[in-house]
Structures are given as C-alpha cells and as structure tokens.
mmCIF file of all heavy atoms in Angstrom:
data_model
loop_
_atom_site.group_PDB
_atom_site.id
_atom_site.type_symbol
_atom_site.label_atom_id
_atom_site.label_comp_id
_atom_site.label_asym_id
_atom_site.label_seq_id
_atom_site.Cartn_x
_atom_site.Cartn_y
_atom_site.Cartn_z
ATOM 1 N N LEU A 1 -4.530 -7.845 -6.763
ATOM 2 C CA LEU A 1 -3.834 -8.674 -5.782
ATOM 3 C C LEU A 1 -2.387 -8.913 -6.200
ATOM 4 O O LEU A 1 -2.110 -9.644 -7.150
ATOM 5 C CB LEU A 1 -4.552 -10.022 -5.621
ATOM 6 C CG LEU A 1 -3.980 -10.960 -4.559
ATOM 7 C CD1 LEU A 1 -4.165 -10.370 -3.172
ATOM 8 C CD2 LEU A 1 -4.626 -12.314 -4.638
ATOM 9 N N ASP A 2 -1.467 -8.252 -5.513
ATOM 10 C CA ASP A 2 -0.039 -8.439 -5.738
ATOM 11 C C ASP A 2 0.694 -7.947 -4.498
ATOM 12 O O ASP A 2 0.944 -6.748 -4.348
ATOM 13 C CB ASP A 2 0.435 -7.675 -6.975
ATOM 14 C CG ASP A 2 1.891 -7.981 -7.312
ATOM 15 O OD1 ASP A 2 2.522 -8.803 -6.606
ATOM 16 O OD2 ASP A 2 2.399 -7.395 -8.279
ATOM 17 N N PRO A 3 1.055 -8.841 -3.576
ATOM 18 C CA PRO A 3 1.700 -8.413 -2.338
ATOM 19 C C PRO A 3 3.152 -7.956 -2.508
ATOM 20 O O PRO A 3 3.766 -7.498 -1.561
ATOM 21 C CB PRO A 3 1.623 -9.650 -1.451
ATOM 22 C CG PRO A 3 1.559 -10.789 -2.401
ATOM 23 C CD PRO A 3 0.846 -10.283 -3.611
ATOM 24 N N PHE A 4 3.710 -8.067 -3.723
ATOM 25 C CA PHE A 4 5.110 -7.703 -3.936
ATOM 26 C C PHE A 4 5.282 -6.289 -4.478
ATOM 27 O O PHE A 4 6.393 -5.873 -4.738
ATOM 28 C CB PHE A 4 5.768 -8.717 -4.877
ATOM 29 C CG PHE A 4 5.752 -10.109 -4.324
ATOM 30 C CD1 PHE A 4 4.863 -11.060 -4.822
ATOM 31 C CD2 PHE A 4 6.602 -10.478 -3.295
ATOM 32 C CE1 PHE A 4 4.832 -12.340 -4.308
ATOM 33 C CE2 PHE A 4 6.574 -11.755 -2.766
ATOM 34 C CZ PHE A 4 5.687 -12.683 -3.277
ATOM 35 N N THR A 5 4.194 -5.571 -4.722
ATOM 36 C CA THR A 5 4.298 -4.196 -5.210
ATOM 37 C C THR A 5 3.694 -3.248 -4.190
ATOM 38 O O THR A 5 3.054 -3.667 -3.246
ATOM 39 C CB THR A 5 3.540 -4.031 -6.548
ATOM 40 O OG1 THR A 5 2.158 -4.309 -6.326
ATOM 41 C CG2 THR A 5 4.090 -4.934 -7.618
ATOM 42 N N GLY A 6 3.903 -1.970 -4.407
ATOM 43 C CA GLY A 6 3.303 -0.958 -3.537
ATOM 44 C C GLY A 6 4.341 -0.120 -2.838
ATOM 45 O O GLY A 6 5.545 -0.384 -2.902
ATOM 46 N N VAL A 7 3.859 0.905 -2.174
ATOM 47 C CA VAL A 7 4.732 1.872 -1.518
ATOM 48 C C VAL A 7 5.292 1.328 -0.213
ATOM 49 O O VAL A 7 6.488 1.393 0.059
ATOM 50 C CB VAL A 7 3.942 3.178 -1.255
ATOM 51 C CG1 VAL A 7 4.835 4.215 -0.619
ATOM 52 C CG2 VAL A 7 3.334 3.701 -2.541
ATOM 53 N N TRP A 8 4.406 0.781 0.627
ATOM 54 C CA TRP A 8 4.848 0.292 1.932
ATOM 55 C C TRP A 8 5.136 -1.194 1.844
ATOM 56 O O TRP A 8 4.431 -1.948 1.176
ATOM 57 C CB TRP A 8 3.760 0.539 2.973
ATOM 58 C CG TRP A 8 4.133 0.032 4.320
ATOM 59 C CD1 TRP A 8 4.836 0.698 5.262
ATOM 60 C CD2 TRP A 8 3.852 -1.261 4.871
ATOM 61 N NE1 TRP A 8 5.005 -0.097 6.367
ATOM 62 C CE2 TRP A 8 4.408 -1.310 6.151
ATOM 63 C CE3 TRP A 8 3.206 -2.389 4.388
ATOM 64 C CZ2 TRP A 8 4.324 -2.421 6.970
ATOM 65 C CZ3 TRP A 8 3.119 -3.504 5.209
ATOM 66 C CH2 TRP A 8 3.675 -3.508 6.491
ATOM 67 N N ARG A 9 6.160 -1.635 2.532
ATOM 68 C CA ARG A 9 6.485 -3.063 2.594
ATOM 69 C C ARG A 9 6.887 -3.425 4.012
ATOM 70 O O ARG A 9 7.408 -2.586 4.743
ATOM 71 C CB ARG A 9 7.634 -3.383 1.646
ATOM 72 C CG ARG A 9 7.220 -3.183 0.215
ATOM 73 C CD ARG A 9 7.901 -4.152 -0.691
ATOM 74 N NE ARG A 9 7.444 -3.857 -2.036
ATOM 75 C CZ ARG A 9 8.242 -3.701 -3.051
ATOM 76 N NH1 ARG A 9 9.528 -3.821 -2.905
ATOM 77 N NH2 ARG A 9 7.744 -3.452 -4.231
ATOM 78 N N PRO A 10 6.701 -4.694 4.383
ATOM 79 C CA PRO A 10 7.201 -5.123 5.694
ATOM 80 C C PRO A 10 8.719 -4.930 5.755
ATOM 81 O O PRO A 10 9.386 -4.940 4.713
ATOM 82 C CB PRO A 10 6.831 -6.603 5.753
ATOM 83 C CG PRO A 10 5.759 -6.795 4.745
ATOM 84 C CD PRO A 10 5.995 -5.757 3.692
ATOM 85 N N PRO A 11 9.287 -4.763 6.944
ATOM 86 C CA PRO A 11 10.732 -4.529 7.059
ATOM 87 C C PRO A 11 11.585 -5.601 6.389
ATOM 88 O O PRO A 11 12.644 -5.306 5.846
ATOM 89 C CB PRO A 11 10.985 -4.522 8.569
ATOM 90 C CG PRO A 11 9.675 -4.204 9.179
ATOM 91 C CD PRO A 11 8.620 -4.705 8.243
ATOM 92 N N SER A 12 11.133 -6.835 6.379
ATOM 93 C CA SER A 12 11.919 -7.907 5.768
ATOM 94 C C SER A 12 11.510 -8.184 4.329
ATOM 95 O O SER A 12 12.026 -9.109 3.714
ATOM 96 C CB SER A 12 11.759 -9.179 6.598
ATOM 97 O OG SER A 12 10.398 -9.563 6.626
ATOM 98 N N GLY A 13 10.580 -7.410 3.796
ATOM 99 C CA GLY A 13 10.074 -7.661 2.457
ATOM 100 C C GLY A 13 8.797 -8.486 2.504
ATOM 101 O O GLY A 13 8.367 -8.933 3.569
ATOM 102 N N ALA A 14 8.199 -8.692 1.365
ATOM 103 C CA ALA A 14 6.917 -9.390 1.315
ATOM 104 C C ALA A 14 7.045 -10.912 1.350
ATOM 105 O O ALA A 14 6.134 -11.612 1.775
ATOM 106 C CB ALA A 14 6.161 -8.978 0.056
ATOM 107 N N LEU A 15 8.179 -11.444 0.928
ATOM 108 C CA LEU A 15 8.312 -12.888 0.808
ATOM 109 C C LEU A 15 8.363 -13.632 2.151
ATOM 110 O O LEU A 15 7.676 -14.646 2.307
ATOM 111 C CB LEU A 15 9.549 -13.224 -0.041
ATOM 112 C CG LEU A 15 9.651 -14.661 -0.500
ATOM 113 C CD1 LEU A 15 8.438 -15.057 -1.325
ATOM 114 C CD2 LEU A 15 10.918 -14.857 -1.313
ATOM 115 N N PRO A 16 9.142 -13.174 3.149
ATOM 116 C CA PRO A 16 9.197 -13.934 4.412
ATOM 117 C C PRO A 16 7.841 -14.129 5.105
ATOM 118 O O PRO A 16 7.553 -15.245 5.548
ATOM 119 C CB PRO A 16 10.168 -13.131 5.278
ATOM 120 C CG PRO A 16 11.054 -12.458 4.297
ATOM 121 C CD PRO A 16 10.172 -12.125 3.137
ATOM 122 N N PRO A 17 6.977 -13.098 5.213
ATOM 123 C CA PRO A 17 5.678 -13.370 5.844
ATOM 124 C C PRO A 17 4.837 -14.378 5.056
ATOM 125 O O PRO A 17 4.183 -15.242 5.647
ATOM 126 C CB PRO A 17 4.979 -12.007 5.885
ATOM 127 C CG PRO A 17 6.028 -10.998 5.676
ATOM 128 C CD PRO A 17 7.133 -11.658 4.944
ATOM 129 N N LEU A 18 4.860 -14.273 3.735
ATOM 130 C CA LEU A 18 4.098 -15.218 2.921
ATOM 131 C C LEU A 18 4.643 -16.636 3.062
ATOM 132 O O LEU A 18 3.880 -17.598 3.178
ATOM 133 C CB LEU A 18 4.110 -14.790 1.456
ATOM 134 C CG LEU A 18 3.277 -13.551 1.130
ATOM 135 C CD1 LEU A 18 3.602 -13.054 -0.274
ATOM 136 C CD2 LEU A 18 1.801 -13.847 1.263
ATOM 137 N N LEU A 19 5.958 -16.772 3.068
ATOM 138 C CA LEU A 19 6.559 -18.099 3.239
ATOM 139 C C LEU A 19 6.296 -18.662 4.627
ATOM 140 O O LEU A 19 6.076 -19.871 4.784
ATOM 141 C CB LEU A 19 8.065 -18.044 2.976
ATOM 142 C CG LEU A 19 8.479 -17.856 1.515
ATOM 143 C CD1 LEU A 19 10.004 -17.723 1.409
ATOM 144 C CD2 LEU A 19 7.982 -19.001 0.655
ATOM 145 N N ALA A 20 6.288 -17.799 5.647
ATOM 146 C CA ALA A 20 6.016 -18.253 7.013
ATOM 147 C C ALA A 20 4.590 -18.797 7.131
ATOM 148 O O ALA A 20 4.374 -19.862 7.732
ATOM 149 C CB ALA A 20 6.232 -17.115 8.003
ATOM 150 N N VAL A 21 3.622 -18.087 6.552
ATOM 151 C CA VAL A 21 2.246 -18.566 6.599
ATOM 152 C C VAL A 21 2.097 -19.841 5.777
ATOM 153 O O VAL A 21 1.418 -20.785 6.187
ATOM 154 C CB VAL A 21 1.267 -17.467 6.114
ATOM 155 C CG1 VAL A 21 -0.123 -18.003 5.919
ATOM 156 C CG2 VAL A 21 1.251 -16.326 7.103
ATOM 157 N N LEU A 22 2.736 -19.905 4.642
ATOM 158 C CA LEU A 22 2.687 -21.104 3.804
ATOM 159 C C LEU A 22 3.320 -22.297 4.531
ATOM 160 O O LEU A 22 2.760 -23.402 4.536
ATOM 161 C CB LEU A 22 3.393 -20.849 2.484
ATOM 162 C CG LEU A 22 3.294 -21.942 1.433
ATOM 163 C CD1 LEU A 22 1.840 -22.131 1.017
ATOM 164 C CD2 LEU A 22 4.131 -21.597 0.222
ATOM 165 N N ALA A 23 4.472 -22.076 5.155
ATOM 166 C CA ALA A 23 5.135 -23.160 5.903
ATOM 167 C C ALA A 23 4.274 -23.608 7.087
ATOM 168 O O ALA A 23 4.144 -24.816 7.342
ATOM 169 C CB ALA A 23 6.508 -22.696 6.388
ATOM 170 N N GLY A 24 3.685 -22.661 7.810
ATOM 171 C CA GLY A 24 2.815 -23.015 8.932
ATOM 172 C C GLY A 24 1.628 -23.839 8.477
ATOM 173 O O GLY A 24 1.254 -24.834 9.109
ATOM 174 N N GLY A 25 1.014 -23.438 7.373
ATOM 175 C CA GLY A 25 -0.113 -24.203 6.843
ATOM 176 C C GLY A 25 0.293 -25.587 6.396
ATOM 177 O O GLY A 25 -0.432 -26.569 6.617
ATOM 178 N N ALA A 26 1.457 -25.688 5.766
ATOM 179 C CA ALA A 26 1.944 -27.005 5.330
ATOM 180 C C ALA A 26 2.230 -27.906 6.528
ATOM 181 O O ALA A 26 1.893 -29.103 6.512
ATOM 182 C CB ALA A 26 3.201 -26.841 4.479
ATOM 183 N N ILE A 27 2.832 -27.352 7.565
ATOM 184 C CA ILE A 27 3.112 -28.140 8.773
ATOM 185 C C ILE A 27 1.813 -28.620 9.405
ATOM 186 O O ILE A 27 1.693 -29.781 9.812
ATOM 187 C CB ILE A 27 3.957 -27.319 9.765
ATOM 188 C CG1 ILE A 27 5.373 -27.146 9.223
ATOM 189 C CG2 ILE A 27 3.978 -27.971 11.144
ATOM 190 C CD1 ILE A 27 6.216 -26.152 9.993
ATOM 191 N N LEU A 28 0.801 -27.740 9.489
ATOM 192 C CA LEU A 28 -0.481 -28.150 10.054
ATOM 193 C C LEU A 28 -1.156 -29.228 9.210
ATOM 194 O O LEU A 28 -1.749 -30.159 9.745
ATOM 195 C CB LEU A 28 -1.400 -26.942 10.199
ATOM 196 C CG LEU A 28 -1.097 -26.017 11.371
ATOM 197 C CD1 LEU A 28 -2.014 -24.815 11.348
ATOM 198 C CD2 LEU A 28 -1.205 -26.753 12.683
ATOM 199 N N ALA A 29 -1.064 -29.111 7.895
ATOM 200 C CA ALA A 29 -1.657 -30.123 7.026
ATOM 201 C C ALA A 29 -0.965 -31.476 7.204
ATOM 202 O O ALA A 29 -1.626 -32.522 7.266
ATOM 203 C CB ALA A 29 -1.598 -29.675 5.571
ATOM 204 N N VAL A 30 0.358 -31.463 7.318
ATOM 205 C CA VAL A 30 1.095 -32.708 7.539
ATOM 206 C C VAL A 30 0.743 -33.296 8.904
ATOM 207 O O VAL A 30 0.512 -34.508 9.034
ATOM 208 C CB VAL A 30 2.620 -32.482 7.407
ATOM 209 C CG1 VAL A 30 3.401 -33.672 7.910
ATOM 210 C CG2 VAL A 30 2.970 -32.179 5.955
ATOM 211 N N LEU A 31 0.669 -32.444 9.931
ATOM 212 C CA LEU A 31 0.283 -32.929 11.263
ATOM 213 C C LEU A 31 -1.124 -33.522 11.235
ATOM 214 O O LEU A 31 -1.377 -34.554 11.868
ATOM 215 C CB LEU A 31 0.359 -31.803 12.289
ATOM 216 C CG LEU A 31 1.743 -31.468 12.790
ATOM 217 C CD1 LEU A 31 1.704 -30.237 13.689
ATOM 218 C CD2 LEU A 31 2.332 -32.642 13.556
ATOM 219 N N ALA A 32 -2.045 -32.860 10.535
ATOM 220 C CA ALA A 32 -3.408 -33.394 10.448
ATOM 221 C C ALA A 32 -3.412 -34.753 9.767
ATOM 222 O O ALA A 32 -4.132 -35.657 10.178
ATOM 223 C CB ALA A 32 -4.304 -32.419 9.690
ATOM 224 N N ALA A 33 -2.592 -34.915 8.739
ATOM 225 C CA ALA A 33 -2.530 -36.190 8.024
ATOM 226 C C ALA A 33 -1.898 -37.274 8.870
ATOM 227 O O ALA A 33 -2.305 -38.439 8.813
ATOM 228 C CB ALA A 33 -1.755 -36.022 6.722
ATOM 229 N N VAL A 34 -0.916 -36.921 9.686
ATOM 230 C CA VAL A 34 -0.194 -37.914 10.478
ATOM 231 C C VAL A 34 -0.940 -38.262 11.758
ATOM 232 O O VAL A 34 -1.058 -39.429 12.129
ATOM 233 C CB VAL A 34 1.230 -37.406 10.802
ATOM 234 C CG1 VAL A 34 1.916 -38.304 11.811
ATOM 235 C CG2 VAL A 34 2.041 -37.307 9.530
ATOM 236 N N VAL A 35 -1.477 -37.258 12.434
ATOM 237 C CA VAL A 35 -2.086 -37.475 13.744
ATOM 238 C C VAL A 35 -3.478 -38.077 13.652
ATOM 239 O O VAL A 35 -3.853 -38.896 14.483
ATOM 240 C CB VAL A 35 -2.130 -36.147 14.544
ATOM 241 C CG1 VAL A 35 -2.912 -36.291 15.821
ATOM 242 C CG2 VAL A 35 -0.710 -35.690 14.840
ATOM 243 N N ALA A 36 -4.257 -37.690 12.648
ATOM 244 C CA ALA A 36 -5.614 -38.224 12.519
ATOM 245 C C ALA A 36 -5.532 -39.702 12.192
ATOM 246 O O ALA A 36 -5.069 -40.094 11.141
ATOM 247 C CB ALA A 36 -6.378 -37.473 11.425
ATOM 248 N N GLY A 37 -5.985 -40.523 13.110
ATOM 249 C CA GLY A 37 -5.941 -41.964 12.893
ATOM 250 C C GLY A 37 -7.246 -42.453 12.316
ATOM 251 O O GLY A 37 -8.257 -41.773 12.358
ATOM 252 N N ASP A 38 -7.244 -43.644 11.787
ATOM 253 C CA ASP A 38 -8.457 -44.225 11.243
ATOM 254 C C ASP A 38 -8.967 -45.377 12.101
ATOM 255 O O ASP A 38 -9.748 -46.187 11.655
ATOM 256 C CB ASP A 38 -8.228 -44.712 9.809
ATOM 257 C CG ASP A 38 -8.255 -43.552 8.831
ATOM 258 O OD1 ASP A 38 -8.940 -42.551 9.126
ATOM 259 O OD2 ASP A 38 -7.591 -43.643 7.790
ATOM 260 N N SER A 39 -8.530 -45.428 13.342
ATOM 261 C CA SER A 39 -9.054 -46.415 14.261
ATOM 262 C C SER A 39 -10.454 -45.974 14.685
ATOM 263 O O SER A 39 -10.660 -44.807 14.971
ATOM 264 C CB SER A 39 -8.135 -46.513 15.479
ATOM 265 O OG SER A 39 -8.807 -47.105 16.555
#
C-alpha cells in the first residue's frame, strides 16, 4: 500500500485526490458533530 509510487498516476498527482477525500470526510464528521443534537 503506497499511493505515491507506481507507473500510472492521476493527472494532478496522488496527493490532491487523497486530500479531497480526507477533507470531505473531515467536513462530514464536523457536520455530524454539529448537527446531531442531544434533545
């Protein structure tokens, strides 16, 4: 497991897709924490 090596790479490199998925997951986690009420 190493998405930064290999022959083929995404046009923008391996880092932007990984960061996009990480950012999306972080945003969803924050939304879940903020929106879920305890009423």
Side-chain angles (χ1 to χ4, degrees):
L1 183 66
D2 186 1
F4 299 105
T5 62
V7 182
W8 179 87
R9 294 213 181 130
S12 61
L15 193 58
L18 289 168
L19 288 176
V21 170
L22 187 63
I27 290 170
L28 283 176
V30 168
L31 281 174
V34 170
V35 172
D38 282 332
S39 161

